[in-house]
Each structure stands twice: as structure tokens, then as C-alpha cells.
Short mmCIF file of all heavy atoms in Angstrom, two decimals:
data_model
loop_
_atom_site.label_atom_id
_atom_site.label_comp_id
_atom_site.label_asym_id
_atom_site.label_seq_id
_atom_site.Cartn_x
_atom_site.Cartn_y
_atom_site.Cartn_z
N LEU Y 30 -67.87 48.36 -31.91
CA LEU Y 30 -68.90 48.37 -32.96
C LEU Y 30 -68.34 47.84 -34.27
O LEU Y 30 -69.00 47.06 -34.98
CB LEU Y 30 -69.44 49.79 -33.15
CG LEU Y 30 -70.71 49.89 -34.01
CD1 LEU Y 30 -71.92 49.49 -33.18
CD2 LEU Y 30 -70.90 51.29 -34.55
N ARG Y 31 -67.12 48.22 -34.60
CA ARG Y 31 -66.51 47.78 -35.86
C ARG Y 31 -66.19 46.28 -35.83
O ARG Y 31 -66.23 45.62 -36.87
CB ARG Y 31 -65.25 48.60 -36.13
CG ARG Y 31 -65.57 50.05 -36.51
CD ARG Y 31 -64.31 50.90 -36.61
NE ARG Y 31 -63.44 50.46 -37.69
CZ ARG Y 31 -63.58 50.81 -38.96
NH1 ARG Y 31 -64.57 51.62 -39.32
NH2 ARG Y 31 -62.76 50.37 -39.89
N MET Y 32 -65.91 45.74 -34.66
CA MET Y 32 -65.74 44.28 -34.57
C MET Y 32 -67.07 43.57 -34.81
O MET Y 32 -67.11 42.52 -35.46
CB MET Y 32 -65.15 43.90 -33.20
CG MET Y 32 -63.68 44.23 -33.06
SD MET Y 32 -62.91 43.48 -31.60
CE MET Y 32 -63.61 44.46 -30.27
N ILE Y 33 -68.16 44.13 -34.28
CA ILE Y 33 -69.48 43.54 -34.52
C ILE Y 33 -69.81 43.60 -36.02
O ILE Y 33 -70.37 42.65 -36.58
CB ILE Y 33 -70.56 44.26 -33.70
CG1 ILE Y 33 -70.30 44.07 -32.20
CG2 ILE Y 33 -71.96 43.76 -34.07
CD1 ILE Y 33 -71.19 44.92 -31.30
N ALA Y 34 -69.42 44.70 -36.66
CA ALA Y 34 -69.69 44.88 -38.09
C ALA Y 34 -68.80 44.01 -38.97
O ALA Y 34 -69.12 43.77 -40.14
CB ALA Y 34 -69.52 46.35 -38.47
N GLY Y 35 -67.67 43.56 -38.41
CA GLY Y 35 -66.73 42.80 -39.22
C GLY Y 35 -65.68 43.66 -39.89
O GLY Y 35 -64.90 43.18 -40.73
N LEU Y 36 -65.64 44.96 -39.55
CA LEU Y 36 -64.65 45.87 -40.13
C LEU Y 36 -63.32 45.81 -39.37
O LEU Y 36 -62.32 46.36 -39.84
CB LEU Y 36 -65.19 47.30 -40.11
CG LEU Y 36 -66.52 47.51 -40.85
CD1 LEU Y 36 -66.99 48.95 -40.73
CD2 LEU Y 36 -66.40 47.10 -42.31
N GLU Y 37 -63.33 45.19 -38.19
CA GLU Y 37 -62.10 44.95 -37.42
C GLU Y 37 -62.07 43.48 -37.03
O GLU Y 37 -63.09 42.91 -36.66
CB GLU Y 37 -62.08 45.80 -36.13
CG GLU Y 37 -62.00 47.29 -36.34
CD GLU Y 37 -60.57 47.78 -36.54
OE1 GLU Y 37 -59.66 46.93 -36.56
OE2 GLU Y 37 -60.39 48.99 -36.67
N ASP Y 38 -60.90 42.87 -37.15
CA ASP Y 38 -60.75 41.49 -36.72
C ASP Y 38 -60.83 41.41 -35.19
O ASP Y 38 -60.41 42.33 -34.49
CB ASP Y 38 -59.40 40.92 -37.17
CG ASP Y 38 -59.33 40.77 -38.68
OD1 ASP Y 38 -60.39 40.57 -39.30
OD2 ASP Y 38 -58.21 40.86 -39.23
N ILE Y 39 -61.35 40.30 -34.69
CA ILE Y 39 -61.41 40.07 -33.25
C ILE Y 39 -60.15 39.31 -32.85
O ILE Y 39 -59.83 38.25 -33.40
CB ILE Y 39 -62.66 39.25 -32.89
CG1 ILE Y 39 -63.92 40.07 -33.20
CG2 ILE Y 39 -62.65 38.84 -31.43
CD1 ILE Y 39 -65.21 39.29 -33.05
N SER Y 40 -59.39 39.88 -31.90
CA SER Y 40 -58.14 39.25 -31.48
C SER Y 40 -58.38 37.98 -30.69
O SER Y 40 -57.64 37.00 -30.83
CB SER Y 40 -57.30 40.25 -30.66
OG SER Y 40 -57.05 41.42 -31.40
N SER Y 41 -59.39 38.00 -29.81
CA SER Y 41 -59.76 36.79 -29.06
C SER Y 41 -61.18 36.95 -28.57
O SER Y 41 -61.72 38.05 -28.52
CB SER Y 41 -58.81 36.57 -27.88
OG SER Y 41 -58.92 37.62 -26.93
N GLY Y 42 -61.79 35.82 -28.20
CA GLY Y 42 -63.17 35.83 -27.75
C GLY Y 42 -64.13 35.43 -28.86
O GLY Y 42 -63.72 35.10 -29.98
N GLU Y 43 -65.43 35.46 -28.55
CA GLU Y 43 -66.45 35.05 -29.51
C GLU Y 43 -67.49 36.15 -29.69
O GLU Y 43 -67.94 36.77 -28.73
CB GLU Y 43 -67.18 33.78 -29.02
CG GLU Y 43 -66.42 32.50 -29.25
CD GLU Y 43 -67.27 31.28 -28.94
OE1 GLU Y 43 -68.30 31.42 -28.24
OE2 GLU Y 43 -66.92 30.19 -29.40
N LEU Y 44 -67.89 36.35 -30.95
CA LEU Y 44 -69.00 37.24 -31.29
C LEU Y 44 -70.10 36.39 -31.89
O LEU Y 44 -69.88 35.68 -32.88
CB LEU Y 44 -68.54 38.31 -32.29
CG LEU Y 44 -69.65 39.17 -32.90
CD1 LEU Y 44 -70.35 39.99 -31.83
CD2 LEU Y 44 -69.10 40.08 -33.99
N ILE Y 45 -71.27 36.45 -31.27
CA ILE Y 45 -72.40 35.62 -31.71
C ILE Y 45 -73.55 36.54 -32.10
O ILE Y 45 -73.98 37.40 -31.32
CB ILE Y 45 -72.85 34.67 -30.59
CG1 ILE Y 45 -71.69 33.77 -30.15
CG2 ILE Y 45 -74.04 33.82 -31.04
CD1 ILE Y 45 -71.95 33.01 -28.87
N ILE Y 46 -74.05 36.40 -33.32
CA ILE Y 46 -75.24 37.12 -33.79
C ILE Y 46 -76.33 36.09 -34.04
O ILE Y 46 -76.14 35.17 -34.85
CB ILE Y 46 -74.95 37.94 -35.06
CG1 ILE Y 46 -73.89 39.01 -34.77
CG2 ILE Y 46 -76.23 38.60 -35.57
CD1 ILE Y 46 -73.52 39.87 -35.98
N GLY Y 47 -77.44 36.23 -33.34
CA GLY Y 47 -78.45 35.18 -33.37
C GLY Y 47 -77.92 33.98 -32.63
O GLY Y 47 -77.60 34.05 -31.45
N ASP Y 48 -77.79 32.86 -33.32
CA ASP Y 48 -77.21 31.66 -32.70
C ASP Y 48 -75.95 31.21 -33.44
O ASP Y 48 -75.55 30.06 -33.35
CB ASP Y 48 -78.24 30.53 -32.68
CG ASP Y 48 -78.81 30.23 -34.06
OD1 ASP Y 48 -78.38 30.90 -35.04
OD2 ASP Y 48 -79.67 29.34 -34.18
N LYS Y 49 -75.31 32.16 -34.16
CA LYS Y 49 -74.17 31.81 -35.00
C LYS Y 49 -72.93 32.59 -34.59
O LYS Y 49 -72.97 33.81 -34.44
CB LYS Y 49 -74.51 32.11 -36.47
CG LYS Y 49 -73.42 31.77 -37.46
CD LYS Y 49 -73.87 32.09 -38.88
CE LYS Y 49 -72.78 31.78 -39.89
NZ LYS Y 49 -73.21 32.15 -41.27
N VAL Y 50 -71.81 31.89 -34.41
CA VAL Y 50 -70.53 32.55 -34.16
C VAL Y 50 -70.05 33.14 -35.48
O VAL Y 50 -69.90 32.42 -36.48
CB VAL Y 50 -69.49 31.55 -33.60
CG1 VAL Y 50 -68.14 32.25 -33.41
CG2 VAL Y 50 -69.96 30.96 -32.28
N VAL Y 51 -69.77 34.46 -35.48
CA VAL Y 51 -69.49 35.14 -36.75
C VAL Y 51 -68.08 35.74 -36.79
O VAL Y 51 -67.80 36.60 -37.63
CB VAL Y 51 -70.54 36.25 -37.02
CG1 VAL Y 51 -71.92 35.66 -37.19
CG2 VAL Y 51 -70.52 37.30 -35.92
N ASN Y 52 -67.19 35.29 -35.91
CA ASN Y 52 -65.83 35.85 -35.88
C ASN Y 52 -65.19 35.91 -37.27
O ASN Y 52 -64.53 36.89 -37.62
CB ASN Y 52 -64.93 35.01 -34.97
CG ASN Y 52 -65.27 35.19 -33.51
OD1 ASN Y 52 -66.43 35.22 -33.14
ND2 ASN Y 52 -64.25 35.31 -32.67
N ASN Y 53 -65.37 34.85 -38.05
CA ASN Y 53 -64.71 34.77 -39.35
C ASN Y 53 -65.67 34.94 -40.52
O ASN Y 53 -65.32 34.63 -41.66
CB ASN Y 53 -63.98 33.42 -39.46
CG ASN Y 53 -62.91 33.26 -38.39
OD1 ASN Y 53 -62.13 34.17 -38.13
ND2 ASN Y 53 -62.89 32.10 -37.73
N VAL Y 54 -66.87 35.42 -40.22
CA VAL Y 54 -67.85 35.65 -41.29
C VAL Y 54 -67.63 37.04 -41.88
O VAL Y 54 -67.53 38.02 -41.14
CB VAL Y 54 -69.29 35.54 -40.72
CG1 VAL Y 54 -70.32 35.89 -41.79
CG2 VAL Y 54 -69.53 34.14 -40.18
#
């Protein structure tokens, strides 16, 4: 959940909200 929120960095893989990759947002 914290990775989805952006409170934890994602070590690998992709998180997409809507149609946008938000790993570094």
C-alpha cells in the first residue's frame, strides 16, 4: 500500500495508476 502511495520506493517492477507509470512520481 505504501508503494502505491509513494511513501516507499519501488525496488523493481512497474506501478501504473490510470494509464500512467508513477514509479518516480
Side-chain angles (χ1 to χ4, degrees):
L30 192 78
R31 289 173 65 83
M32 286 192 288
I33 296 171
L36 302 178
E37 294 276 3
D38 292 331
I39 295 173
S40 303
S41 65
E43 281 189 342
L44 171 64
I45 302 168
I46 298 179
D48 55 0
K49 181 180 179 182
V50 178
V51 297
N52 288 43
N53 299 315
V54 175

